[in-house]
Coordinates of all heavy atoms in Angstrom, one line a residue:
M1 N 12.6 20.1 -1.3 CA 12.1 19.0 -0.5 C 13.1 18.6 0.5 O 14.2 18.3 0.2 CB 11.7 17.9 -1.5 CG 11.1 16.7 -0.9 SD 10.7 15.3 -2.0 CE 10.1 16.1 -3.5
P2 N 12.7 18.5 1.8 CA 13.6 18.1 2.8 C 14.1 16.7 2.6 O 13.4 15.8 2.0 CB 12.8 18.2 4.1 CG 11.6 19.0 3.8 CD 11.4 18.9 2.3
D3 N 15.3 16.4 3.1 CA 15.9 15.0 2.9 C 15.0 14.0 3.5 O 14.9 12.9 3.0 CB 17.3 15.0 3.5 CG 18.3 15.8 2.6 OD1 18.0 15.9 1.4 OD2 19.3 16.2 3.2
T4 N 14.4 14.3 4.7 CA 13.5 13.3 5.3 C 12.4 12.9 4.5 O 11.9 11.7 4.5 CB 13.0 13.8 6.7 OG1 12.3 15.0 6.5 CG2 14.1 14.0 7.7
V5 N 11.8 13.8 3.7 CA 10.7 13.5 2.8 C 11.2 12.7 1.7 O 10.6 11.7 1.3 CB 10.0 14.8 2.3 CG1 9.0 14.5 1.2 CG2 9.4 15.6 3.4
R6 N 12.4 13.0 1.1 CA 12.9 12.2 0.0 C 13.1 10.7 0.5 O 12.9 9.8 -0.2 CB 14.3 12.7 -0.4 CG 14.1 13.9 -1.4 CD 15.4 14.2 -2.1 NE 15.4 15.5 -2.7 CZ 16.0 16.6 -2.3 NH1 16.9 16.5 -1.2 NH2 15.9 17.7 -2.8
A7 N 13.6 10.6 1.7 CA 13.9 9.2 2.2 C 12.6 8.5 2.5 O 12.5 7.3 2.3 CB 14.7 9.3 3.6
A8 N 11.5 9.2 2.8 CA 10.3 8.5 3.1 C 9.4 8.3 1.9 O 8.5 7.5 1.9 CB 9.5 9.3 4.1
W9 N 9.7 8.9 0.8 CA 8.9 8.9 -0.4 C 8.5 7.5 -0.8 O 7.3 7.2 -1.0 CB 9.5 9.7 -1.5 CG 8.6 10.0 -2.7 CD1 8.8 9.4 -3.9 CD2 7.5 10.7 -2.7 NE1 7.8 9.8 -4.7 CE2 6.9 10.6 -4.0 CE3 6.8 11.5 -1.8 CZ2 5.8 11.3 -4.4 CZ3 5.6 12.2 -2.2 CH2 5.1 12.0 -3.5
P10 N 9.5 6.6 -1.1 CA 9.1 5.2 -1.5 C 8.1 4.5 -0.5 O 7.2 3.9 -0.9 CB 10.4 4.5 -1.6 CG 11.4 5.5 -1.8 CD 10.9 6.7 -1.0
T11 N 8.4 4.8 0.8 CA 7.5 4.2 1.8 C 6.1 4.7 1.8 O 5.1 4.0 1.9 CB 8.2 4.4 3.2 OG1 9.5 3.9 3.2 CG2 7.4 3.8 4.3
V12 N 6.0 6.0 1.5 CA 4.7 6.7 1.5 C 4.0 6.2 0.2 O 2.8 5.9 0.3 CB 4.9 8.2 1.5 CG1 3.5 8.9 1.1 CG2 5.4 8.7 2.8
I13 N 4.7 6.1 -0.9 CA 4.1 5.6 -2.1 C 3.5 4.2 -1.9 O 2.4 3.9 -2.3 CB 5.1 5.6 -3.3 CG1 5.4 7.0 -3.7 CG2 4.5 4.8 -4.5 CD1 4.3 7.8 -4.3
E14 N 4.3 3.3 -1.3 CA 3.9 1.9 -1.0 C 2.7 1.9 -0.1 O 1.7 1.2 -0.3 CB 5.0 1.1 -0.4 CG 6.1 0.8 -1.4 CD 7.4 0.3 -0.6 OE1 7.3 -0.1 0.5 OE2 8.4 0.3 -1.3
A15 N 2.7 2.8 0.9 CA 1.5 2.9 1.8 C 0.3 3.4 1.1 O -0.8 2.9 1.3 CB 1.9 3.8 3.0
H16 N 0.4 4.3 0.2 CA -0.7 4.8 -0.6 C -1.2 3.7 -1.6 O -2.4 3.6 -1.8 CB -0.4 6.0 -1.4 CG -0.5 7.3 -0.6 ND1 -1.8 7.9 -0.4 CD2 0.3 8.0 0.1 CE1 -1.6 9.0 0.3 NE2 -0.4 9.1 0.6
M17 N -0.4 2.8 -2.0 CA -0.8 1.7 -2.9 C -1.7 0.7 -2.1 O -2.6 0.1 -2.7 CB 0.4 1.0 -3.5 CG 1.2 1.9 -4.4 SD 0.3 2.7 -5.8 CE 0.1 1.2 -6.8
R18 N -1.4 0.6 -0.9 CA -2.2 -0.3 0.0 C -3.5 0.3 0.5 O -4.4 -0.4 0.9 CB -1.4 -0.8 1.2 CG -0.2 -1.7 0.8 CD 0.5 -2.3 2.1 NE 1.0 -1.2 3.0 CZ 2.2 -0.7 2.9 NH1 3.0 -1.1 2.0 NH2 2.5 0.2 3.8
L19 N -3.6 1.6 0.4 CA -4.7 2.3 1.0 C -6.1 1.9 0.4 O -7.0 1.7 1.2 CB -4.5 3.8 0.8 CG -5.3 4.8 1.7 CD1 -5.1 4.5 3.1 CD2 -4.9 6.2 1.4
P20 N -6.3 1.7 -0.9 CA -7.7 1.3 -1.3 C -8.1 0.0 -0.7 O -9.3 -0.1 -0.2 CB -7.5 1.2 -2.8 CG -6.4 2.1 -3.2 CD -5.4 2.0 -2.0
R21 N -7.3 -0.9 -0.6 CA -7.7 -2.2 0.1 C -8.0 -2.0 1.5 O -9.0 -2.5 2.1 CB -6.5 -3.2 -0.1 CG -6.9 -4.6 0.6 CD -5.7 -5.6 0.5 NE -4.4 -5.0 0.9 CZ -4.0 -4.8 2.2 NH1 -4.8 -5.1 3.2 NH2 -2.8 -4.3 2.5
Q22 N -7.1 -1.2 2.2 CA -7.3 -1.0 3.7 C -8.7 -0.2 3.9 O -9.4 -0.5 4.8 CB -6.2 -0.2 4.2 CG -4.9 -1.0 4.3 CD -3.7 -0.1 4.7 OE1 -3.6 1.0 4.3 NE2 -2.9 -0.6 5.5
I23 N -8.9 0.7 3.1 CA -10.2 1.5 3.2 C -11.4 0.6 2.9 O -12.4 0.6 3.6 CB -10.2 2.7 2.3 CG1 -9.2 3.8 2.8 CG2 -11.6 3.3 2.2 CD1 -8.9 5.0 2.0
A24 N -11.3 -0.3 1.9 CA -12.4 -1.2 1.6 C -12.6 -2.2 2.7 O -13.8 -2.5 3.0 CB -12.0 -2.0 0.3
E25 N -11.6 -2.5 3.4 CA -11.8 -3.4 4.6 C -12.6 -2.8 5.7 O -13.1 -3.5 6.5 CB -10.4 -3.9 5.1 CG -9.7 -4.9 4.2 CD -8.3 -5.2 4.6 OE1 -7.7 -4.5 5.6 OE2 -7.6 -6.0 3.9
T26 N -12.7 -1.4 5.7 CA -13.5 -0.8 6.7 C -14.9 -0.5 6.3 O -15.7 0.0 7.0 CB -12.9 0.6 7.1 OG1 -13.1 1.6 6.1 CG2 -11.4 0.5 7.5
G27 N -15.2 -0.9 5.0 CA -16.5 -0.6 4.4 C -16.5 0.6 3.6 O -17.6 1.0 3.1
G28 N -15.4 1.3 3.5 CA -15.4 2.6 2.7 C -14.9 2.3 1.3 O -14.6 1.2 0.9
R29 N -14.8 3.4 0.6 CA -14.3 3.3 -0.8 C -13.7 4.6 -1.3 O -14.3 5.7 -1.0 CB -15.5 2.9 -1.7 CG -15.2 2.8 -3.2 CD -16.4 2.3 -3.9 NE -17.5 3.3 -4.1 CZ -17.6 4.1 -5.2 NH1 -16.7 4.0 -6.2 NH2 -18.6 5.0 -5.2
I30 N -12.6 4.6 -2.0 CA -12.0 5.8 -2.6 C -12.8 6.0 -3.9 O -12.9 5.1 -4.8 CB -10.5 5.6 -2.9 CG1 -9.7 5.5 -1.6 CG2 -10.0 6.8 -3.7 CD1 -8.3 5.2 -1.8
V31 N -13.4 7.2 -4.0 CA -14.2 7.5 -5.2 C -13.3 8.2 -6.2 O -13.3 8.0 -7.4 CB -15.4 8.5 -4.8 CG1 -16.1 8.9 -6.0 CG2 -16.3 7.7 -3.9
A32 N -12.4 9.1 -5.7 CA -11.5 9.9 -6.6 C -10.3 10.4 -5.8 O -10.4 10.4 -4.5 CB -12.2 11.0 -7.3
G33 N -9.2 10.8 -6.4 CA -8.1 11.4 -5.7 C -6.9 11.6 -6.6 O -6.8 10.9 -7.6
N34 N -6.1 12.5 -6.3 CA -4.9 12.8 -7.0 C -3.9 13.5 -6.1 O -4.2 14.2 -5.2 CB -5.2 13.8 -8.2 CG -5.9 13.1 -9.3 OD1 -5.3 12.3 -10.0 ND2 -7.2 13.5 -9.5
A35 N -2.6 13.3 -6.4 CA -1.5 14.0 -5.8 C -1.5 15.4 -6.6 O -1.9 15.5 -7.7 CB -0.2 13.3 -6.0
M36 N -1.0 16.4 -5.9 CA -0.9 17.7 -6.5 C 0.5 18.1 -6.8 O 1.4 17.7 -6.1 CB -1.5 18.8 -5.5 CG -2.8 18.5 -4.9 SD -4.1 18.6 -6.1 CE -4.5 20.3 -6.0
R37 N 0.7 18.8 -7.9 CA 2.0 19.4 -8.2 C 2.4 20.4 -7.1 O 1.5 20.9 -6.4 CB 2.1 19.9 -9.6 CG 1.9 18.9 -10.6 CD 2.5 19.3 -11.9 NE 2.3 18.3 -12.9 CZ 3.3 17.4 -13.2 NH1 4.5 17.5 -12.6 NH2 3.1 16.5 -14.1
P38 N 3.6 20.9 -7.0 CA 4.0 21.9 -6.0 C 3.2 23.2 -6.1 O 2.8 23.6 -7.2 CB 5.5 22.1 -6.3 CG 5.9 20.9 -7.1 CD 4.8 20.4 -7.8
A39 N 3.0 23.8 -5.0 CA 2.3 25.1 -5.0 C 2.9 26.1 -5.9 O 2.2 27.0 -6.4 CB 2.2 25.6 -3.5
S40 N 4.2 26.0 -6.1 CA 4.9 27.0 -7.0 C 4.4 26.9 -8.4 O 4.6 27.8 -9.2 CB 6.4 26.8 -6.9 OG 6.7 25.4 -7.4
Q41 N 3.8 25.8 -8.8 CA 3.2 25.6 -10.1 C 1.7 26.0 -10.2 O 1.1 25.9 -11.3 CB 3.4 24.2 -10.6 CG 4.9 23.8 -10.8 CD 5.1 22.4 -11.3 OE1 4.1 21.8 -11.8 NE2 6.3 21.9 -11.1
A42 N 1.2 26.5 -9.1 CA -0.2 26.9 -9.1 C -0.5 28.2 -9.8 O 0.5 29.1 -9.9 CB -0.7 27.0 -7.6
V43 N -1.7 28.4 -10.2 CA -2.2 29.8 -10.6 C -3.4 30.0 -9.7 O -4.3 29.2 -9.7 CB -2.6 29.8 -12.1 CG1 -3.2 31.1 -12.4 CG2 -1.3 29.5 -13.0
S44 N -3.4 31.1 -9.0 CA -4.5 31.4 -8.1 C -5.3 32.5 -8.7 O -4.8 33.4 -9.4 CB -3.9 31.9 -6.7 OG -3.2 30.8 -6.1
V45 N -6.6 32.5 -8.4 CA -7.5 33.5 -8.9 C -8.2 34.1 -7.7 O -8.8 33.4 -6.9 CB -8.6 32.9 -9.9 CG1 -9.5 34.0 -10.3 CG2 -7.9 32.2 -11.1
R46 N -8.0 35.4 -7.6 CA -8.7 36.2 -6.5 C -9.2 37.4 -7.0 O -8.5 38.2 -7.7 CB -7.6 36.4 -5.4 CG -8.3 37.1 -4.2 CD -7.2 37.4 -3.1 NE -7.8 37.1 -1.8 CZ -7.2 37.1 -0.7 NH1 -5.9 37.3 -0.7 NH2 -7.8 37.0 0.4
D47 N -10.5 37.7 -6.7 CA -11.1 38.9 -7.3 C -11.0 39.0 -8.8 O -10.7 40.1 -9.4 CB -10.5 40.2 -6.6 CG -10.8 40.2 -5.1 OD1 -11.8 39.7 -4.7 OD2 -9.9 40.8 -4.4
N48 N -11.1 37.8 -9.4 CA -11.1 37.7 -10.9 C -9.7 38.1 -11.5 O -9.6 38.3 -12.7 CB -12.2 38.5 -11.5 CG -12.6 37.9 -12.8 OD1 -12.5 36.7 -13.0 ND2 -13.1 38.8 -13.7
T49 N -8.7 38.0 -10.7 CA -7.3 38.3 -11.1 C -6.5 37.0 -10.9 O -6.4 36.5 -9.8 CB -6.7 39.5 -10.4 OG1 -7.5 40.6 -10.5 CG2 -5.3 39.8 -10.9
A50 N -5.8 36.6 -12.0 CA -4.9 35.4 -11.9 C -3.5 35.8 -11.6 O -3.0 36.8 -12.1 CB -4.9 34.7 -13.3
V51 N -2.9 35.1 -10.6 CA -1.6 35.4 -10.2 C -0.8 34.0 -10.2 O -1.4 33.0 -9.8 CB -1.4 36.1 -8.9 CG1 -2.0 37.5 -9.0 CG2 -2.1 35.3 -7.8
E52 N 0.4 34.0 -10.5 CA 1.2 32.8 -10.4 C 1.5 32.4 -9.0 O 1.7 33.3 -8.1 CB 2.6 33.0 -11.2 CG 2.4 33.0 -12.7 CD 3.7 33.0 -13.4 OE1 4.7 32.5 -12.9 OE2 3.7 33.6 -14.5
G53 N 1.4 31.1 -8.7 CA 1.7 30.6 -7.4 C 0.5 30.5 -6.5 O -0.6 30.9 -6.9
S54 N 0.7 30.0 -5.3 CA -0.4 29.8 -4.4 C -0.6 31.0 -3.5 O 0.3 31.8 -3.2 CB -0.1 28.6 -3.4 OG -1.1 28.5 -2.4
L55 N -1.8 31.3 -3.2 CA -2.1 32.4 -2.3 C -1.9 32.1 -0.8 O -1.9 32.9 0.1 CB -3.6 32.9 -2.4 CG -3.9 33.5 -3.8 CD1 -5.4 33.8 -3.8 CD2 -3.1 34.7 -4.0
I56 N -1.6 30.8 -0.5 CA -1.3 30.3 0.8 C 0.2 30.5 1.0 O 1.0 30.0 0.2 CB -1.7 28.9 1.0 CG1 -3.2 28.7 0.8 CG2 -1.3 28.4 2.4 CD1 -3.6 27.2 0.8
S57 N 0.6 31.2 2.1 CA 2.0 31.4 2.3 C 2.4 30.5 3.4 O 1.6 30.1 4.3 CB 2.2 32.9 2.7 OG 1.5 33.2 3.9
G58 N 3.7 30.1 3.4 CA 4.2 29.2 4.5 C 4.6 27.9 3.9 O 4.3 27.6 2.7
P59 N 5.2 27.0 4.7 CA 5.7 25.8 4.1 C 4.6 24.7 3.9 O 4.8 23.8 3.1 CB 6.6 25.3 5.2 CG 6.1 25.9 6.5 CD 5.5 27.2 6.1
Q60 N 3.4 24.9 4.5 CA 2.4 23.9 4.3 C 1.5 24.2 3.1 O 1.2 25.3 2.8 CB 1.5 23.8 5.6 CG 2.2 23.5 6.8 CD 2.8 22.1 6.8 OE1 2.3 21.2 6.1 NE2 3.9 21.9 7.6
A61 N 1.2 23.2 2.3 CA 0.4 23.3 1.1 C -0.4 22.1 0.9 O 0.0 21.0 1.4 CB 1.3 23.7 -0.1
L62 N -1.4 22.2 0.1 CA -2.2 21.0 -0.3 C -1.3 20.1 -1.1 O -0.8 20.5 -2.2 CB -3.4 21.5 -1.1 CG -4.4 20.4 -1.6 CD1 -5.0 19.7 -0.4 CD2 -5.4 21.0 -2.4
A63 N -1.2 18.8 -0.7 CA -0.3 17.9 -1.4 C -1.2 16.9 -2.3 O -0.7 16.3 -3.2 CB 0.5 17.1 -0.4
G64 N -2.4 16.8 -2.0 CA -3.3 15.9 -2.7 C -4.7 15.9 -2.1 O -4.9 16.5 -1.0
Y65 N -5.5 15.1 -2.7 CA -6.9 14.9 -2.1 C -7.4 13.5 -2.4 O -7.0 12.9 -3.4 CB -7.9 16.0 -2.6 CG -8.2 15.8 -4.1 CD1 -9.3 15.0 -4.5 CD2 -7.4 16.3 -5.1 CE1 -9.6 14.8 -5.8 CE2 -7.7 16.1 -6.4 CZ -8.8 15.4 -6.8 OH -9.1 15.2 -8.1
L66 N -8.3 13.1 -1.6 CA -9.0 11.9 -1.8 C -10.5 12.2 -1.5 O -10.8 12.9 -0.5 CB -8.6 10.7 -0.8 CG -7.3 10.1 -1.0 CD1 -7.0 9.1 0.1 CD2 -7.2 9.4 -2.4
I67 N -11.4 11.7 -2.4 CA -12.8 11.7 -2.1 C -13.1 10.3 -1.7 O -12.9 9.3 -2.5 CB -13.6 12.2 -3.3 CG1 -13.2 13.6 -3.6 CG2 -15.1 12.1 -3.0 CD1 -13.9 14.2 -4.8
V68 N -13.6 10.1 -0.5 CA -14.0 8.7 -0.1 C -15.5 8.6 0.3 O -16.1 9.6 0.6 CB -13.2 8.3 1.2 CG1 -11.7 8.3 0.9 CG2 -13.5 9.1 2.4
E69 N -16.0 7.4 0.1 CA -17.3 7.1 0.5 C -17.2 6.5 1.8 O -16.5 5.5 2.0 CB -17.9 6.2 -0.6 CG -19.4 5.9 -0.4 CD -19.9 5.0 -1.5 OE1 -20.2 5.5 -2.6 OE2 -19.9 3.8 -1.3
A70 N -17.9 7.1 2.8 CA -17.9 6.6 4.2 C -19.3 6.6 4.7 O -20.2 7.3 4.2 CB -17.0 7.5 5.0
S71 N -19.6 5.8 5.7 CA -20.9 5.6 6.3 C -21.3 6.9 7.0 O -22.5 7.2 7.0 CB -21.0 4.4 7.2 OG -20.1 4.5 8.3
D72 N -20.4 7.6 7.6 CA -20.7 8.9 8.3 C -19.4 9.6 8.6 O -18.3 9.1 8.2 CB -21.4 8.6 9.6 CG -20.7 7.7 10.6 OD1 -19.5 7.5 10.5 OD2 -21.4 7.0 11.4
L73 N -19.4 10.8 9.2 CA -18.2 11.6 9.5 C -17.2 10.8 10.3 O -16.0 10.9 10.1 CB -18.6 12.9 10.1 CG -17.4 13.9 10.3 CD1 -16.7 14.2 9.0 CD2 -17.9 15.2 10.9
D74 N -17.7 10.1 11.3 CA -16.7 9.3 12.2 C -16.0 8.3 11.3 O -14.8 8.1 11.5 CB -17.5 8.6 13.3 CG -18.0 9.6 14.4 OD1 -17.4 10.7 14.5 OD2 -18.9 9.3 15.1
H75 N -16.7 7.6 10.4 CA -16.0 6.7 9.6 C -15.0 7.4 8.7 O -13.9 6.9 8.4 CB -17.1 5.9 8.7 CG -16.5 4.8 7.9 ND1 -17.2 4.4 6.8 CD2 -15.4 4.1 8.0 CE1 -16.5 3.4 6.2 NE2 -15.4 3.2 6.9
A76 N -15.4 8.5 8.1 CA -14.5 9.3 7.3 C -13.2 9.7 8.0 O -12.1 9.7 7.5 CB -15.2 10.5 6.7
V77 N -13.4 10.1 9.3 CA -12.2 10.5 10.1 C -11.4 9.3 10.4 O -10.1 9.3 10.3 CB -12.7 11.1 11.5 CG1 -11.5 11.3 12.4 CG2 -13.4 12.5 11.2
W78 N -12.0 8.1 10.6 CA -11.2 6.9 10.8 C -10.4 6.6 9.5 O -9.2 6.3 9.6 CB -12.2 5.7 11.1 CG -11.4 4.4 11.3 CD1 -11.3 3.4 10.4 CD2 -10.8 4.0 12.5 NE1 -10.5 2.4 11.0 CE2 -10.2 2.8 12.3 CE3 -10.6 4.6 13.7 CZ2 -9.5 2.1 13.2 CZ3 -9.8 4.0 14.7 CH2 -9.3 2.7 14.4
I79 N -11.0 6.8 8.4 CA -10.2 6.6 7.1 C -9.1 7.6 7.0 O -8.0 7.3 6.6 CB -11.2 6.7 5.9 CG1 -12.1 5.4 5.9 CG2 -10.4 6.8 4.6 CD1 -13.3 5.5 4.9
G80 N -9.4 8.9 7.4 CA -8.4 9.9 7.3 C -7.2 9.6 8.1 O -6.1 9.9 7.8
R81 N -7.4 8.9 9.2 CA -6.3 8.5 10.1 C -5.4 7.5 9.4 O -4.2 7.3 9.8 CB -6.8 8.0 11.4 CG -7.5 9.1 12.2 CD -8.2 8.6 13.4 NE -7.2 8.5 14.5 CZ -7.5 8.1 15.7 NH1 -8.7 7.8 16.0 NH2 -6.5 8.1 16.6
M82 N -5.9 6.8 8.4 CA -5.1 5.8 7.7 C -4.2 6.3 6.6 O -3.3 5.7 6.2 CB -6.1 4.8 7.0 CG -7.1 4.1 8.0 SD -8.4 3.3 7.0 CE -7.7 1.7 6.9
I83 N -4.4 7.6 6.2 CA -3.7 8.1 5.1 C -2.3 8.5 5.5 O -2.1 9.3 6.5 CB -4.5 9.4 4.5 CG1 -5.9 8.9 4.0 CG2 -3.7 10.0 3.4 CD1 -6.8 10.0 3.7
P84 N -1.3 8.0 4.8 CA 0.1 8.2 5.2 C 0.5 9.6 4.8 O 0.2 10.1 3.6 CB 0.9 7.2 4.4 CG 0.0 6.8 3.3 CD -1.4 7.0 3.7
V85 N 1.1 10.4 5.7 CA 1.7 11.7 5.4 C 3.1 11.7 6.0 O 3.4 11.1 6.9 CB 0.8 12.8 6.0 CG1 -0.5 12.9 5.4 CG2 0.7 12.7 7.5
T86 N 3.9 12.5 5.3 CA 5.3 12.6 5.8 C 5.5 13.8 6.7 O 6.3 13.8 7.6 CB 6.3 12.7 4.6 OG1 5.9 13.8 3.8 CG2 6.3 11.5 3.8
D87 N 4.7 14.9 6.4 CA 4.8 16.1 7.2 C 3.5 16.8 7.0 O 3.1 17.1 5.9 CB 6.0 16.9 6.8 CG 6.2 18.2 7.6 OD1 5.7 18.2 8.8 OD2 6.7 19.2 7.1
G88 N 2.8 17.1 8.0 CA 1.5 17.8 7.9 C 0.4 17.0 8.5 O 0.6 16.4 9.5
W89 N -0.8 17.1 7.9 CA -2.0 16.6 8.4 C -3.0 16.2 7.3 O -2.8 16.5 6.2 CB -2.6 17.5 9.4 CG -3.0 18.8 8.7 CD1 -4.2 19.1 8.2 CD2 -2.2 20.0 8.6 NE1 -4.2 20.4 7.7 CE2 -3.0 20.9 7.9 CE3 -0.9 20.3 8.9 CZ2 -2.6 22.2 7.6 CZ3 -0.5 21.6 8.6 CH2 -1.3 22.5 7.9
V90 N -4.0 15.5 7.7 CA -5.1 15.2 6.8 C -6.3 16.0 7.4 O -6.6 16.0 8.6 CB -5.4 13.7 6.9 CG1 -6.7 13.3 6.1 CG2 -4.2 12.9 6.3
E91 N -7.0 16.6 6.5 CA -8.2 17.3 6.8 C -9.4 16.6 6.2 O -9.4 16.2 5.1 CB -8.2 18.7 6.2 CG -9.4 19.6 6.6 CD -9.3 21.0 6.0 OE1 -8.2 21.6 6.1 OE2 -10.3 21.5 5.6
V92 N -10.4 16.3 7.1 CA -11.6 15.6 6.6 C -12.8 16.5 6.6 O -13.1 17.2 7.6 CB -11.9 14.4 7.6 CG1 -13.2 13.7 7.2 CG2 -10.7 13.5 7.6
R93 N -13.4 16.6 5.4 CA -14.6 17.5 5.3 C -15.7 16.8 4.5 O -15.4 16.1 3.5 CB -14.3 18.7 4.5 CG -13.4 19.7 5.1 CD -13.5 21.0 4.2 NE -12.3 21.7 4.3 CZ -12.1 22.9 3.6 NH1 -13.0 23.3 2.8 NH2 -11.0 23.5 3.7
P94 N -17.0 16.9 5.0 CA -18.1 16.4 4.2 C -18.2 17.2 2.9 O -17.9 18.4 2.9 CB -19.3 16.6 5.1 CG -18.8 16.8 6.4 CD -17.4 17.4 6.2
L95 N -18.6 16.6 1.8 CA -18.9 17.3 0.6 C -20.3 17.8 0.6 O -21.2 17.3 1.2 CB -18.8 16.3 -0.6 CG -17.4 15.8 -0.9 CD1 -17.5 14.8 -2.1 CD2 -16.5 16.9 -1.3
L96 N -20.5 19.0 -0.1 CA -21.9 19.5 -0.3 C -22.4 18.8 -1.5 O -21.8 19.0 -2.6 CB -21.8 21.0 -0.4 CG -21.5 21.8 0.8 CD1 -21.4 23.3 0.4 CD2 -22.6 21.7 1.8
L97 N -23.5 18.1 -1.4 CA -24.1 17.5 -2.6 C -25.4 18.1 -2.9 O -26.2 18.5 -2.0 CB -24.2 16.0 -2.3 CG -22.9 15.2 -1.9 CD1 -23.2 13.8 -1.5 CD2 -22.0 15.3 -3.1
N98 N -25.8 18.1 -4.1 CA -27.1 18.6 -4.6 C -28.2 17.6 -4.3 O -28.1 16.5 -4.3 CB -27.1 18.9 -6.0 CG -26.2 20.1 -6.3 OD1 -25.9 20.9 -5.5 ND2 -25.7 20.2 -7.5

């Protein structure tokens, strides 16, 4: 983990703790979410074969996810812009619901 991430970690944690209230103030709601363990601890399944580690190569990896309730995609993107990140980005996708 780069030193800059270590230095920012308490700040990012504090920002995430404020996030549910901030999202609620926009009319949205966090439904679920979790931080992810490092990609090195992943087990990937491809073509029915399990392999240790992530199939994604490179320094960027999924760090966590949030499922939010938003009025529409624009609202979800607005919420996505509120999510604190130290390095990387937030991807916003609609869920497929039955």
Side-chain angles (χ1 to χ4, degrees):
M1 181 179 324
D3 291 333
T4 56
V5 174
R6 280 194 195 111
W9 190 248
T11 305
V12 171
I13 293 293
E14 290 168 14
H16 274 279
M17 297 302 286
R18 292 188 301 270
L19 199 55
R21 178 185 48 79
Q22 291 173 319
I23 290 173
E25 289 171 356
T26 74
R29 177 174 77 93
I30 295 176
V31 176
N34 286 291
M36 309 290 275
R37 293 204 178 262
S40 61
Q41 294 182 16
V43 175
S44 298
V45 178
R46 184 180 218 173
D47 298 327
N48 208 28
T49 301
V51 294
E52 289 187 26
S54 175
L55 293 176
I56 299 171
S57 61
Q60 301 297 333
L62 180 66
Y65 69 92
L66 289 175
I67 298 175
V68 300
E69 187 176 276
S71 59
D72 56 25
L73 184 58
D74 289 335
H75 185 205
V77 170
W78 182 260
I79 291 170
R81 295 171 83 178
M82 302 167 93
I83 299 171
V85 294
T86 55
D87 182 28
W89 61 90
V90 171
E91 182 175 323
V92 178
R93 290 193 210 179
L95 293 176
L96 289 175
L97 303 175
N98 294 335

